[in-house]
mmCIF file of all heavy atoms in Angstrom:
data_model
loop_
_atom_site.group_PDB
_atom_site.id
_atom_site.type_symbol
_atom_site.label_atom_id
_atom_site.label_comp_id
_atom_site.label_asym_id
_atom_site.label_seq_id
_atom_site.Cartn_x
_atom_site.Cartn_y
_atom_site.Cartn_z
ATOM 1 N N LEU A 8 -74.910 -73.600 20.361
ATOM 2 C CA LEU A 8 -75.088 -75.046 20.125
ATOM 3 C C LEU A 8 -76.142 -75.669 21.093
ATOM 4 O O LEU A 8 -76.914 -76.444 20.744
ATOM 5 C CB LEU A 8 -73.763 -75.776 20.217
ATOM 6 C CG LEU A 8 -72.677 -75.597 19.111
ATOM 7 C CD1 LEU A 8 -71.344 -76.190 19.530
ATOM 8 C CD2 LEU A 8 -73.150 -76.042 17.839
ATOM 9 N N ASN A 9 -76.007 -75.203 22.378
ATOM 10 C CA ASN A 9 -77.051 -75.662 23.359
ATOM 11 C C ASN A 9 -78.429 -75.301 22.887
ATOM 12 O O ASN A 9 -79.359 -75.997 23.062
ATOM 13 C CB ASN A 9 -76.719 -75.154 24.745
ATOM 14 C CG ASN A 9 -75.657 -75.971 25.436
ATOM 15 O OD1 ASN A 9 -75.349 -77.095 25.019
ATOM 16 N ND2 ASN A 9 -74.963 -75.348 26.446
ATOM 17 N N ASN A 10 -78.546 -74.039 22.417
ATOM 18 C CA ASN A 10 -79.853 -73.565 21.962
ATOM 19 C C ASN A 10 -80.320 -74.399 20.734
ATOM 20 O O ASN A 10 -81.504 -74.666 20.533
ATOM 21 C CB ASN A 10 -79.699 -72.068 21.545
ATOM 22 C CG ASN A 10 -81.045 -71.361 21.318
ATOM 23 O OD1 ASN A 10 -82.042 -71.772 21.967
ATOM 24 N ND2 ASN A 10 -81.017 -70.403 20.455
ATOM 25 N N PHE A 11 -79.349 -74.709 19.771
ATOM 26 C CA PHE A 11 -79.679 -75.499 18.656
ATOM 27 C C PHE A 11 -80.214 -76.909 19.150
ATOM 28 O O PHE A 11 -81.131 -77.458 18.620
ATOM 29 C CB PHE A 11 -78.358 -75.688 17.845
ATOM 30 C CG PHE A 11 -78.542 -76.662 16.681
ATOM 31 C CD1 PHE A 11 -78.987 -76.233 15.431
ATOM 32 C CD2 PHE A 11 -78.107 -77.949 16.847
ATOM 33 C CE1 PHE A 11 -79.134 -77.196 14.396
ATOM 34 C CE2 PHE A 11 -78.161 -78.864 15.756
ATOM 35 C CZ PHE A 11 -78.655 -78.399 14.559
ATOM 36 N N LYS A 12 -79.501 -77.436 20.142
ATOM 37 C CA LYS A 12 -79.945 -78.828 20.620
ATOM 38 C C LYS A 12 -81.324 -78.815 21.341
ATOM 39 O O LYS A 12 -81.973 -79.810 21.400
ATOM 40 C CB LYS A 12 -78.950 -79.355 21.668
ATOM 41 C CG LYS A 12 -77.603 -79.703 20.943
ATOM 42 C CD LYS A 12 -76.604 -80.453 21.919
ATOM 43 C CE LYS A 12 -76.210 -79.686 23.123
ATOM 44 N NZ LYS A 12 -75.236 -80.356 23.987
ATOM 45 N N SER A 13 -81.698 -77.604 21.869
ATOM 46 C CA SER A 13 -82.954 -77.490 22.524
ATOM 47 C C SER A 13 -84.225 -77.713 21.532
ATOM 48 O O SER A 13 -85.311 -77.973 22.007
ATOM 49 C CB SER A 13 -83.175 -76.072 23.142
ATOM 50 O OG SER A 13 -83.297 -75.040 22.229
ATOM 51 N N ALA A 14 -83.833 -77.692 20.219
ATOM 52 C CA ALA A 14 -84.937 -77.945 19.223
ATOM 53 C C ALA A 14 -84.980 -79.464 18.933
ATOM 54 O O ALA A 14 -85.705 -79.825 17.946
ATOM 55 C CB ALA A 14 -84.666 -77.111 17.939
ATOM 56 N N GLY A 15 -84.324 -80.281 19.624
ATOM 57 C CA GLY A 15 -84.298 -81.613 19.455
ATOM 58 C C GLY A 15 -83.309 -82.089 18.431
ATOM 59 O O GLY A 15 -83.399 -83.286 17.882
ATOM 60 N N LYS A 16 -82.376 -81.306 18.018
ATOM 61 C CA LYS A 16 -81.401 -81.600 17.058
ATOM 62 C C LYS A 16 -80.084 -82.052 17.753
ATOM 63 O O LYS A 16 -79.783 -81.465 18.837
ATOM 64 C CB LYS A 16 -81.217 -80.391 16.099
ATOM 65 C CG LYS A 16 -82.392 -80.020 15.342
ATOM 66 C CD LYS A 16 -82.294 -78.929 14.399
ATOM 67 C CE LYS A 16 -83.563 -78.474 13.665
ATOM 68 N NZ LYS A 16 -83.438 -77.589 12.582
ATOM 69 N N LYS A 17 -79.235 -82.886 17.092
ATOM 70 C CA LYS A 17 -78.029 -83.409 17.637
ATOM 71 C C LYS A 17 -76.794 -82.699 17.124
ATOM 72 O O LYS A 17 -76.819 -82.202 15.977
ATOM 73 C CB LYS A 17 -77.988 -84.891 17.305
ATOM 74 C CG LYS A 17 -79.195 -85.744 17.861
ATOM 75 C CD LYS A 17 -79.173 -85.762 19.380
ATOM 76 C CE LYS A 17 -80.310 -86.590 20.031
ATOM 77 N NZ LYS A 17 -80.369 -86.545 21.530
ATOM 78 N N VAL A 18 -75.760 -82.673 17.960
ATOM 79 C CA VAL A 18 -74.399 -82.214 17.618
ATOM 80 C C VAL A 18 -73.359 -83.381 17.864
ATOM 81 O O VAL A 18 -73.394 -83.853 19.001
ATOM 82 C CB VAL A 18 -74.110 -80.938 18.389
ATOM 83 C CG1 VAL A 18 -72.639 -80.434 17.996
ATOM 84 C CG2 VAL A 18 -75.102 -79.850 18.205
ATOM 85 N N THR A 19 -72.643 -83.660 16.821
ATOM 86 C CA THR A 19 -71.607 -84.636 16.947
ATOM 87 C C THR A 19 -70.278 -83.954 16.732
ATOM 88 O O THR A 19 -70.034 -83.165 15.768
ATOM 89 C CB THR A 19 -71.790 -85.803 15.922
ATOM 90 O OG1 THR A 19 -73.035 -86.390 16.114
ATOM 91 C CG2 THR A 19 -70.687 -86.844 16.011
ATOM 92 N N ALA A 20 -69.198 -84.260 17.494
ATOM 93 C CA ALA A 20 -67.894 -83.653 17.341
ATOM 94 C C ALA A 20 -66.872 -84.807 16.929
ATOM 95 O O ALA A 20 -66.933 -85.935 17.484
ATOM 96 C CB ALA A 20 -67.403 -83.028 18.591
ATOM 97 N N THR A 21 -65.953 -84.445 16.129
ATOM 98 C CA THR A 21 -64.847 -85.312 15.722
ATOM 99 C C THR A 21 -63.604 -84.617 15.455
ATOM 100 O O THR A 21 -63.629 -83.485 15.055
ATOM 101 C CB THR A 21 -65.275 -86.181 14.445
ATOM 102 O OG1 THR A 21 -64.201 -87.126 14.188
ATOM 103 C CG2 THR A 21 -65.425 -85.320 13.233
ATOM 104 N N ALA A 22 -62.418 -85.257 15.802
ATOM 105 C CA ALA A 22 -61.139 -84.790 15.445
ATOM 106 C C ALA A 22 -60.114 -85.846 15.601
ATOM 107 O O ALA A 22 -60.281 -86.848 16.304
ATOM 108 C CB ALA A 22 -60.800 -83.553 16.401
ATOM 109 N N ASP A 23 -59.003 -85.624 14.904
ATOM 110 C CA ASP A 23 -57.871 -86.616 15.127
ATOM 111 C C ASP A 23 -57.170 -86.399 16.486
ATOM 112 O O ASP A 23 -56.814 -87.292 17.158
ATOM 113 C CB ASP A 23 -56.840 -86.476 13.951
ATOM 114 C CG ASP A 23 -57.364 -86.898 12.659
ATOM 115 O OD1 ASP A 23 -58.299 -87.843 12.620
ATOM 116 O OD2 ASP A 23 -56.814 -86.536 11.589
ATOM 117 N N ASN A 24 -57.026 -85.153 16.813
ATOM 118 C CA ASN A 24 -56.600 -84.722 18.152
ATOM 119 C C ASN A 24 -57.299 -83.479 18.580
ATOM 120 O O ASN A 24 -57.772 -82.727 17.704
ATOM 121 C CB ASN A 24 -55.052 -84.423 18.043
ATOM 122 C CG ASN A 24 -54.182 -85.616 17.606
ATOM 123 O OD1 ASN A 24 -53.795 -86.488 18.472
ATOM 124 N ND2 ASN A 24 -53.787 -85.730 16.340
ATOM 125 N N TYR A 25 -57.422 -83.236 19.889
ATOM 126 C CA TYR A 25 -58.081 -82.176 20.399
ATOM 127 C C TYR A 25 -57.068 -81.180 21.126
ATOM 128 O O TYR A 25 -56.498 -81.712 22.160
ATOM 129 C CB TYR A 25 -59.216 -82.508 21.330
ATOM 130 C CG TYR A 25 -60.438 -83.069 20.608
ATOM 131 C CD1 TYR A 25 -60.674 -84.521 20.684
ATOM 132 C CD2 TYR A 25 -61.338 -82.249 19.973
ATOM 133 C CE1 TYR A 25 -61.740 -85.022 20.004
ATOM 134 C CE2 TYR A 25 -62.498 -82.850 19.399
ATOM 135 C CZ TYR A 25 -62.721 -84.150 19.340
ATOM 136 O OH TYR A 25 -63.797 -84.705 18.789
ATOM 137 N N SER A 26 -56.974 -80.005 20.751
ATOM 138 C CA SER A 26 -56.298 -79.028 21.495
ATOM 139 C C SER A 26 -57.174 -78.543 22.636
ATOM 140 O O SER A 26 -58.321 -78.944 22.714
ATOM 141 C CB SER A 26 -55.863 -77.784 20.626
ATOM 142 O OG SER A 26 -56.993 -77.085 20.217
ATOM 143 N N GLN A 27 -56.680 -77.639 23.489
ATOM 144 C CA GLN A 27 -57.416 -77.239 24.607
ATOM 145 C C GLN A 27 -58.731 -76.436 24.187
ATOM 146 O O GLN A 27 -59.872 -76.750 24.610
ATOM 147 C CB GLN A 27 -56.609 -76.298 25.510
ATOM 148 C CG GLN A 27 -57.248 -76.009 26.861
ATOM 149 C CD GLN A 27 -56.233 -75.476 27.845
ATOM 150 O OE1 GLN A 27 -55.483 -76.265 28.383
ATOM 151 N NE2 GLN A 27 -56.177 -74.180 28.019
ATOM 152 N N SER A 28 -58.580 -75.592 23.178
ATOM 153 C CA SER A 28 -59.710 -74.723 22.725
ATOM 154 C C SER A 28 -60.668 -75.592 21.920
ATOM 155 O O SER A 28 -61.881 -75.526 21.985
ATOM 156 C CB SER A 28 -59.208 -73.547 21.878
ATOM 157 O OG SER A 28 -58.421 -74.023 20.798
ATOM 158 N N GLN A 29 -60.114 -76.535 21.139
ATOM 159 C CA GLN A 29 -60.963 -77.404 20.307
ATOM 160 C C GLN A 29 -61.804 -78.289 21.216
ATOM 161 O O GLN A 29 -63.020 -78.529 20.968
ATOM 162 C CB GLN A 29 -60.094 -78.326 19.391
ATOM 163 C CG GLN A 29 -59.395 -77.583 18.269
ATOM 164 C CD GLN A 29 -58.336 -78.380 17.589
ATOM 165 O OE1 GLN A 29 -58.054 -79.490 18.072
ATOM 166 N NE2 GLN A 29 -57.885 -77.895 16.444
ATOM 167 N N TYR A 30 -61.163 -78.822 22.317
ATOM 168 C CA TYR A 30 -61.940 -79.719 23.166
ATOM 169 C C TYR A 30 -63.014 -78.923 23.909
ATOM 170 O O TYR A 30 -64.138 -79.529 24.188
ATOM 171 C CB TYR A 30 -61.008 -80.310 24.258
ATOM 172 C CG TYR A 30 -61.786 -81.285 25.049
ATOM 173 C CD1 TYR A 30 -62.167 -82.522 24.614
ATOM 174 C CD2 TYR A 30 -62.090 -80.953 26.344
ATOM 175 C CE1 TYR A 30 -62.948 -83.413 25.377
ATOM 176 C CE2 TYR A 30 -62.775 -81.812 27.209
ATOM 177 C CZ TYR A 30 -63.278 -82.993 26.724
ATOM 178 O OH TYR A 30 -64.028 -83.861 27.420
ATOM 179 N N PHE A 31 -62.754 -77.735 24.294
ATOM 180 C CA PHE A 31 -63.720 -76.848 25.040
ATOM 181 C C PHE A 31 -65.045 -76.745 24.138
ATOM 182 O O PHE A 31 -66.215 -77.076 24.653
ATOM 183 C CB PHE A 31 -63.257 -75.528 25.269
ATOM 184 C CG PHE A 31 -64.196 -74.704 26.141
ATOM 185 C CD1 PHE A 31 -64.275 -74.792 27.474
ATOM 186 C CD2 PHE A 31 -65.062 -73.784 25.490
ATOM 187 C CE1 PHE A 31 -65.176 -74.007 28.256
ATOM 188 C CE2 PHE A 31 -65.916 -72.983 26.155
ATOM 189 C CZ PHE A 31 -65.995 -73.081 27.546
ATOM 190 N N LEU A 32 -64.852 -76.539 22.871
ATOM 191 C CA LEU A 32 -66.019 -76.423 21.934
ATOM 192 C C LEU A 32 -66.674 -77.796 21.781
ATOM 193 O O LEU A 32 -67.934 -77.930 21.698
ATOM 194 C CB LEU A 32 -65.533 -75.897 20.599
ATOM 195 C CG LEU A 32 -66.689 -75.627 19.595
ATOM 196 C CD1 LEU A 32 -67.786 -74.631 20.198
ATOM 197 C CD2 LEU A 32 -66.120 -74.957 18.433
ATOM 198 N N ALA A 33 -65.833 -78.841 21.652
ATOM 199 C CA ALA A 33 -66.396 -80.204 21.538
ATOM 200 C C ALA A 33 -67.282 -80.632 22.625
ATOM 201 O O ALA A 33 -68.198 -81.393 22.519
ATOM 202 C CB ALA A 33 -65.230 -81.282 21.242
ATOM 203 N N SER A 34 -66.983 -80.098 23.884
ATOM 204 C CA SER A 34 -67.726 -80.576 25.022
ATOM 205 C C SER A 34 -69.212 -80.105 24.979
ATOM 206 O O SER A 34 -69.966 -80.758 25.695
ATOM 207 C CB SER A 34 -67.056 -79.976 26.298
ATOM 208 O OG SER A 34 -67.270 -78.452 26.385
ATOM 209 N N PHE A 35 -69.580 -79.221 24.037
ATOM 210 C CA PHE A 35 -70.981 -78.912 23.904
ATOM 211 C C PHE A 35 -71.673 -79.910 23.016
ATOM 212 O O PHE A 35 -72.924 -79.795 22.814
ATOM 213 C CB PHE A 35 -71.138 -77.489 23.393
ATOM 214 C CG PHE A 35 -70.708 -76.368 24.261
ATOM 215 C CD1 PHE A 35 -69.375 -76.053 24.438
ATOM 216 C CD2 PHE A 35 -71.600 -75.823 25.113
ATOM 217 C CE1 PHE A 35 -68.976 -75.090 25.229
ATOM 218 C CE2 PHE A 35 -71.202 -74.848 26.031
ATOM 219 C CZ PHE A 35 -69.968 -74.485 26.147
ATOM 220 N N ALA A 36 -71.028 -80.866 22.422
ATOM 221 C CA ALA A 36 -71.653 -81.893 21.497
ATOM 222 C C ALA A 36 -72.297 -82.980 22.275
ATOM 223 O O ALA A 36 -71.885 -83.219 23.410
ATOM 224 C CB ALA A 36 -70.579 -82.450 20.516
ATOM 225 N N ASP A 37 -73.238 -83.591 21.646
ATOM 226 C CA ASP A 37 -73.895 -84.804 22.250
ATOM 227 C C ASP A 37 -72.958 -85.988 22.343
ATOM 228 O O ASP A 37 -73.020 -86.756 23.169
ATOM 229 C CB ASP A 37 -75.150 -85.174 21.405
ATOM 230 C CG ASP A 37 -76.136 -84.083 21.546
ATOM 231 O OD1 ASP A 37 -76.847 -83.915 22.685
ATOM 232 O OD2 ASP A 37 -76.423 -83.436 20.494
ATOM 233 N N GLN A 38 -72.032 -86.016 21.396
ATOM 234 C CA GLN A 38 -71.054 -87.162 21.289
ATOM 235 C C GLN A 38 -69.725 -86.565 20.836
ATOM 236 O O GLN A 38 -69.685 -85.900 19.860
ATOM 237 C CB GLN A 38 -71.518 -88.313 20.434
ATOM 238 C CG GLN A 38 -70.596 -89.475 20.382
ATOM 239 C CD GLN A 38 -71.016 -90.535 19.416
ATOM 240 O OE1 GLN A 38 -70.922 -90.352 18.259
ATOM 241 N NE2 GLN A 38 -71.518 -91.686 19.928
ATOM 242 N N ILE A 39 -68.670 -86.986 21.536
ATOM 243 C CA ILE A 39 -67.191 -86.560 21.209
ATOM 244 C C ILE A 39 -66.572 -87.835 20.618
ATOM 245 O O ILE A 39 -66.421 -88.816 21.383
ATOM 246 C CB ILE A 39 -66.520 -85.947 22.313
ATOM 247 C CG1 ILE A 39 -67.319 -84.788 22.870
ATOM 248 C CG2 ILE A 39 -65.095 -85.550 21.937
ATOM 249 C CD1 ILE A 39 -66.590 -84.062 24.067
ATOM 250 N N ASN A 40 -66.146 -87.739 19.385
ATOM 251 C CA ASN A 40 -65.262 -88.869 18.798
ATOM 252 C C ASN A 40 -63.836 -88.481 18.704
ATOM 253 O O ASN A 40 -63.540 -87.290 18.317
ATOM 254 C CB ASN A 40 -65.797 -89.140 17.467
ATOM 255 C CG ASN A 40 -67.200 -89.732 17.519
ATOM 256 O OD1 ASN A 40 -67.415 -90.921 17.638
ATOM 257 N ND2 ASN A 40 -68.270 -88.911 17.340
ATOM 258 N N LEU A 41 -62.950 -89.365 18.957
ATOM 259 C CA LEU A 41 -61.511 -89.104 18.959
ATOM 260 C C LEU A 41 -60.843 -90.210 18.098
ATOM 261 O O LEU A 41 -61.272 -91.416 18.156
ATOM 262 C CB LEU A 41 -60.932 -89.025 20.361
ATOM 263 C CG LEU A 41 -59.372 -89.050 20.360
ATOM 264 C CD1 LEU A 41 -58.808 -87.700 19.848
ATOM 265 C CD2 LEU A 41 -58.943 -89.281 21.814
ATOM 266 N N ASN A 42 -59.997 -89.882 17.097
ATOM 267 C CA ASN A 42 -59.281 -90.953 16.427
ATOM 268 C C ASN A 42 -58.520 -91.789 17.396
ATOM 269 O O ASN A 42 -57.845 -91.409 18.314
ATOM 270 C CB ASN A 42 -58.186 -90.177 15.483
ATOM 271 C CG ASN A 42 -57.637 -91.107 14.479
ATOM 272 O OD1 ASN A 42 -56.970 -92.189 14.846
ATOM 273 N ND2 ASN A 42 -57.711 -90.885 13.240
#
């Protein structure tokens, strides 16, 4: 995902709730949204 963002593209994350593993992956996003 970081390599993807290096091309000037954005990553957005969303979830109703984040587990520990879900949140780890979400941390690589440009923006993290939570319900």
Side-chain angles (χ1 to χ4, degrees):
L8 290 174
N9 281 340
N10 193 31
F11 174 86
K12 293 191 296 183
S13 70
K16 302 182 178 185
K17 299 294 183 183
V18 177
T19 302
T21 183
D23 288 338
N24 297 280
Y25 288 101
S26 68
Q27 189 162 285
S28 57
Q29 291 169 350
Y30 182 74
F31 185 82
L32 186 54
S34 71
F35 290 88
D37 294 292
Q38 184 184 70
I39 302 178
N40 293 274
L41 173 66
N42 190 302

